[in-house]
Amino acid sequence: MSQHMLPLHIVFEALDQCQISVAGLIVALLTSQQYENHYYVTNLLTHSREILHAFSQHPASQHQFALHLFRIAENTYLQELRCLTSENSGWHFKASNTTTKQLEDFSLKEMAWDMEDTTPEWWSLLGVLLGDKGKRVSGGQKDEGGDEPIAPEEDGNIDSYWDDMDEIDLEGLINELMGEQGPHPSIENRIKMMKKTIVMSILMHGSNQKANALQSLLGLFLQSTHTPYKVIDTLAHLGISISTDTINVAVEALSMESQNSLQHLRRSLLASYAYDNFDVDLKSYVPTAEKSNHSLKHLTSGLLFPLVHGIMLDDLKCSWELWEKSVLNPQADDPHIAHKCAWWDLLKLPLHPKSPGLGSRLSHRDQFNSWMFFQDLCTYGPDYFHQFSSSIPKPECIEPIPLVKTPIFAARAMDVNNSTVSRNIQAVTDLLTQGGICDPSDMSGEGLFHLKMACADVLWHCFIQPLAAHEDETSLMRDIAQLHPKETGIYMTKLGFHPMHQLIGHAGICRWLDCWRVHAETKGGFSNLEAFVLSKPTLDDLKKMANEIACTYVARNQLQWMHREQEKKRDLQFENALLLNKYFLLYEELLYAMNHRDIGHTETCTVSWILMLKAMGKHKYAMHMTNFLFNMHCVYPLGLRHAIHYHILINPMGHPTKWRAMDWCVKLNNLFTKVKNGGKGSNQSVE
């Protein structure tokens, strides 16, 4: 017998004398509390991996040992899965009790984290199957996949990824998935995390039919995007979605909740109403005598918004005061009747902010223009300027609306064509009746989204429609030829809002960067922005140049002096470029004020746009906005003024930069209604 086997022989003899087997010795060491901290127990646990590997490689027990390990792993996974699918886990979704709060509070990120914490072994196995290394990080922060530490530069992007899914670079993501470029580690981990979450949800649903949170959310999403029922039912059989019948139950529960919310809102009498007309084409396959030959229906939709910001019922009790000031009141005293307002009267209203200090020669509008030039340089200019993006202060707010998330309640669509005054009254009466008010008084007007669309249309009439505007080498039409060379004819026709809105933004960025190029060449002799970068300008240098550009390349009072020059000394192209820059910046200023809840800034911009609306023949918009501003500041009592002022812009999402005009919400509701209920079929009707 070799010297290496001699100690084992002694051990065997000792075990025989003690009448205990090797298996019994190991079991006793591992199960007895008396030897919990014994050296041999510690040694066994330390080398457990080597011991298990030896068992798995032994020819006599290899297959049996593998089956035993599989049973242990199976029990571990099932125990974790049962814990995750229990009712206490919070992932049960009852369709009959569906609420909007459940939908709003659902977070895929939190669901993935809970899965990882509750089922660590399952989560690790899925990671290995999907290509992860399967390593755990103890004491450190986990990335989106939960397996590798996060690089410091990627740490701040986790929450924004899940919150801003609509802002992800889809083109880059598709290229990475197709292998056209190397996948970015963070995006690859995010994709794996989504796959893990979906696979785990399918397993949860298979183990417990009530654990269907993700399936319910996906089902309602598919329903909202008008996915065919056959597709939904197919996905339901695959365990990815709930069935169409369950979706209908959930929709019915949501409808009941909406109805109850409307009843509660109407009892409070603290609601604002918005309505708008929309057209829907309902083509029927089977013509009948009862059905009209005209398939295009003119309907009216409405939304209700609760009044927040501390509005009380007493603030709205002002009917008598308004009647005393009304021009329709034959018994009112003349001194108390508000006179009809003209556009020049708006200049006397306290809309404009206080003038800047003596140390600044820039007005608030000039300061915004300077910020816009600087912001676009740091965002779209050479990479060197990107470092200054975080150092640019935001424009000063004039009168910000407090940030409050505003819920929206949809009213029933009305079969009313509000093209006349009488039908407008009928639409208002019907809408207010739905809101529980049976004695309405109409105080209608144009919304800010309609104003924004009118402003974009004004710019089209100024710089695209006239053929004479195309002769200038710096005209907007020349920009269109560069940006959209195959669509110049489309831009010459009656253009919609969205293409014109995008054109203003894209052409404006190009023009602001060109202003930087010209100013850098004029001031420092640099041939282009890349040459300007080589001079390493500081933040203060760029701020000073931005102020100079805002005063030099935007139409201000200097334009009047230019017009007084002799014809041969004037640079008409430069003058036209100054005007275009001014109007584009005014449009951007209006958008910025609306998106950042600055109602005071919005009103200031509106006064300038009223003059342009009148010049372009849009007298209806100009009249409505003039009357609105005058009534707000000269007619309405303080409480009513506060209620209207702070609710003309709302925030449906509760995000700081996600403010929307009321009529924008109505337009979006119209779009959903037309897409959902429009089309062809024997059952397509207004009812």
Side-chain angles (χ1 to χ4, degrees):
M1 183 177 291
S2 65
Q3 294 293 328
H4 178 69
M5 297 300 295
L6 184 60
L8 292 180
H9 180 69
I10 297 174
V11 171
F12 293 156
E13 291 179 353
L15 290 174
D16 291 340
Q17 292 177 1
C18 296
Q19 296 182 352
I20 185 172
S21 64
V22 176
L25 174 63
I26 295 175
V27 172
L29 287 174
L30 295 177
T31 58
S32 177
Q33 296 182 355
Q34 180 181 356
Y35 305 109
E36 183 177 356
N37 298 321
H38 196 276
Y39 167 76
Y40 289 121
V41 175
T42 305
N43 183 266
L44 272 175
L45 296 176
T46 304
H47 297 86
S48 59
R49 185 173 181 179
E50 301 173 14
I51 297 172
L52 293 176
H53 179 71
F55 270 110
S56 65
Q57 297 300 318
H58 196 280
S61 64
Q62 186 176 14
H63 179 69
Q64 184 179 1
F65 183 74
L67 289 177
H68 183 63
L69 289 182
F70 290 153
R71 294 292 181 270
I72 295 176
E74 182 181 276
N75 291 332
T76 302
Y77 294 144
L78 288 177
Q79 186 176 0
E80 288 186 349
L81 200 58
R82 290 192 189 101
C83 182
L84 187 62
T85 57
S86 64
E87 188 173 0
N88 296 331
S89 65
W91 300 117
H92 286 198
F93 194 96
K94 298 179 180 179
S96 58
N97 297 329
T98 305
T99 62
T100 54
K101 189 176 187 304
Q102 285 180 290
L103 306 181
E104 294 173 352
D105 292 346
F106 179 82
S107 171
L108 188 62
K109 173 182 62 177
E110 294 180 1
M111 187 179 192
W113 285 353
D114 184 64
M115 288 177 175
E116 182 178 9
D117 293 338
T118 308
T119 60
E121 303 304 330
W122 252 123
W123 193 262
S124 179
L125 175 62
L126 290 177
V128 173
L129 296 176
L130 291 172
D132 287 347
K133 297 178 181 179
K135 295 181 179 179
R136 289 188 174 275
V137 181
S138 60
Q141 192 177 9
K142 300 175 183 177
D143 69 347
E144 293 87 339
D147 299 315
E148 297 178 0
I150 299 172
E153 63 270 15
E154 297 176 7
D155 186 14
N157 296 329
I158 300 175
D159 292 340
S160 61
Y161 170 78
W162 296 104
D163 294 336
D164 302 324
M165 283 293 291
D166 55 331
E167 299 178 5
I168 191 172
D169 183 8
L170 293 179
E171 182 178 357
L173 180 59
I174 292 173
N175 291 336
E176 290 163 359
L177 294 177
M178 297 298 293
E180 298 180 11
Q181 56 182 346
H184 192 278
S186 61
I187 296 180
E188 185 179 7
N189 289 335
R190 292 165 183 167
I191 295 174
K192 288 181 180 179
M193 183 178 185
M194 286 188 287
K195 290 180 178 179
K196 289 181 185 179
T197 307
I198 294 173
V199 172
M200 185 67 77
S201 298
I202 295 175
L203 296 174
M204 291 170 57
H205 189 54
S207 175
N208 188 336
Q209 293 292 318
K210 296 181 179 179
N212 58 349
L214 183 61
Q215 287 81 356
S216 300
L217 266 294
L218 289 176
L220 290 172
F221 170 75
L222 295 172
Q223 170 77 4
S224 66
T225 55
H226 320 299
T227 305
Y229 285 169
K230 290 184 179 179
V231 176
I232 297 178
D233 287 334
T234 302
L235 295 176
H237 284 106
L238 295 176
I240 301 175
S241 170
I242 56 178
S243 65
T244 54
D245 293 337
T246 308
I247 292 174
N248 293 333
V249 173
V251 171
E252 184 177 354
L254 291 172
S255 301
M256 290 298 298
E257 183 197 17
S258 177
Q259 184 64 28
N260 294 334
S261 300
L262 277 176
Q263 293 178 359
H264 176 75
L265 184 61
R266 71 178 60 158
R267 285 194 296 266
S268 69
L269 299 179
L270 293 174
S272 57
Y273 297 77
Y275 71 97
D276 191 19
N277 65 297
F278 70 98
D279 300 329
V280 58
D281 195 7
L282 302 174
K283 295 182 179 180
S284 177
Y285 283 139
V286 183
T288 61
E290 292 77 11
K291 295 182 180 179
S292 172
N293 293 328
H294 302 288
S295 61
L296 186 64
K297 305 299 181 182
H298 308 282
L299 310 176
T300 301
S301 66
L303 296 179
L304 278 73
F305 308 86
L307 297 179
V308 290
H309 304 298
I311 304 300
M312 307 296 291
L313 281 176
D314 291 339
D315 297 326
L316 308 180
K317 295 178 179 179
C318 52
S319 301
W320 182 256
E321 185 175 351
L322 292 175
W323 178 243
E324 285 184 336
K325 297 180 180 180
S326 175
V327 295
L328 302 177
N329 184 3
Q331 300 178 352
D333 297 331
D334 290 340
H336 297 283
I337 299 179
H339 66 281
K340 190 174 182 180
C341 178
W343 65 264
W344 52 81
D345 294 321
L346 298 177
L347 303 179
K348 304 174 185 177
L349 297 179
L351 299 177
H352 298 275
K354 296 180 180 179
S355 59
L358 298 176
S360 175
R361 63 188 182 92
L362 298 179
S363 65
H364 281 267
R365 180 148 295 156
D366 294 333
Q367 292 177 10
F368 175 84
N369 294 342
S370 174
W371 174 83
M372 194 71 189
F373 280 112
F374 199 179
Q375 178 71 21
D376 283 352
L377 175 70
C378 296
T379 304
Y380 305 103
D383 294 341
Y384 171 80
F385 300 112
H386 295 180
Q387 60 181 308
F388 302 112
S389 296
S390 59
S391 303
I392 307 175
K394 296 291 184 181
E396 181 182 357
C397 284
I398 298 176
E399 186 180 354
I401 301 175
L403 179 59
V404 176
K405 182 178 179 180
T406 306
I408 302 175
F409 302 97
R412 183 186 66 254
M414 298 162 281
D415 189 8
V416 177
N417 180 11
N418 58 355
S419 58
T420 63
V421 175
S422 60
R423 291 180 179 177
N424 259 286
I425 295 175
Q426 181 183 352
V428 172
T429 303
D430 192 350
L431 179 60
L432 294 180
T433 302
Q434 292 186 55
I437 301 176
C438 300
D439 187 16
S441 59
D442 185 13
M443 295 176 58
S444 61
E446 299 294 339
L448 292 181
F449 181 66
H450 284 78
L451 172 64
K452 185 165 67 173
M453 291 192 294
C455 294
D457 193 53
V458 164
L459 296 179
W460 181 83
H461 280 87
C462 284
F463 300 108
I464 296 181
Q465 185 191 34
L467 295 179
H470 306 171
E471 300 173 0
D472 192 339
E473 293 183 359
T474 62
S475 66
L476 182 59
M477 204 62 196
R478 301 296 177 95
D479 296 348
I480 297 174
Q482 294 293 325
L483 296 172
H484 306 281
K486 297 182 180 180
E487 301 176 2
T488 54
I490 297 177
Y491 281 88
M492 280 296 299
T493 60
K494 187 66 174 178
L495 198 62
F497 165 71
H498 189 258
M500 189 64 195
H501 172 77
Q502 286 191 322
L503 175 64
I504 296 170
H506 297 162
I509 293 170
C510 298
R511 286 178 174 268
W512 315 153
L513 294 179
D514 193 55
C515 290
W516 278 100
R517 179 191 63 80
V518 173
H519 194 66
E521 181 180 2
T522 304
K523 188 175 181 179
F526 303 103
S527 58
N528 51 48
L529 290 179
E530 285 71 18
F532 178 49
V533 166
L534 298 178
S535 66
K536 302 294 183 182
T538 64
L539 178 64
D540 293 335
D541 294 335
L542 295 175
K543 286 182 178 179
K544 182 179 178 181
M545 291 183 65
N547 292 339
E548 293 172 353
I549 292 174
C551 296
T552 307
Y553 299 99
V554 181
R556 300 169 74 232
N557 295 333
Q558 82 274 25
L559 192 62
Q560 298 179 3
W561 298 101
M562 294 179 181
H563 289 168
R564 296 175 184 176
E565 294 286 344
Q566 297 180 2
E567 190 71 24
K568 59 182 179 180
K569 294 182 179 181
R570 292 176 59 184
D571 187 348
L572 298 181
Q573 290 188 1
F574 182 67
E575 294 177 12
N576 292 338
L578 295 184
L579 279 174
L580 190 146
N581 290 346
K582 176 182 179 179
Y583 296 153
F584 272 33
L585 285 168
L586 186 60
Y587 182 82
E588 295 287 354
E589 187 177 0
L590 177 65
L591 264 60
Y592 179 87
M594 292 174 58
N595 293 337
H596 290 77
R597 63 189 173 120
D598 193 350
I599 186 61
H601 202 166
T602 302
E603 289 185 337
T604 303
C605 298
T606 302
V607 175
S608 301
W609 279 109
I610 286 175
L611 306 181
M612 298 178 63
L613 290 170
K614 292 183 71 68
M616 290 294 104
K618 291 186 172 294
H619 301 289
K620 175 184 175 182
Y621 287 96
M623 178 190 68
H624 276 295
M625 297 312 300
T626 301
N627 293 339
F628 171 76
L629 291 178
F630 182 76
N631 290 333
M632 281 291 299
H633 294 273
C634 298
V635 178
Y636 296 157
L638 184 61
L640 181 61
R641 182 190 314 167
H642 176 67
I644 299 176
H645 218 203
Y646 278 17
H647 292 87
I648 194 170
L649 291 172
I650 62 172
N651 197 317
M653 301 298 296
H655 295 171
T657 59
K658 299 293 185 180
W659 289 82
R660 299 290 183 263
M662 271 192 175
D663 48 334
W664 180 89
C665 299
V666 179
K667 287 289 186 183
L668 184 63
N669 182 55
N670 291 347
L671 176 63
F672 290 157
T673 304
K674 289 192 289 186
V675 173
K676 177 66 178 177
N677 300 304
K680 301 178 180 179
S682 59
N683 60 338
Q684 298 293 330
S685 63
V686 174
E687 293 77 15

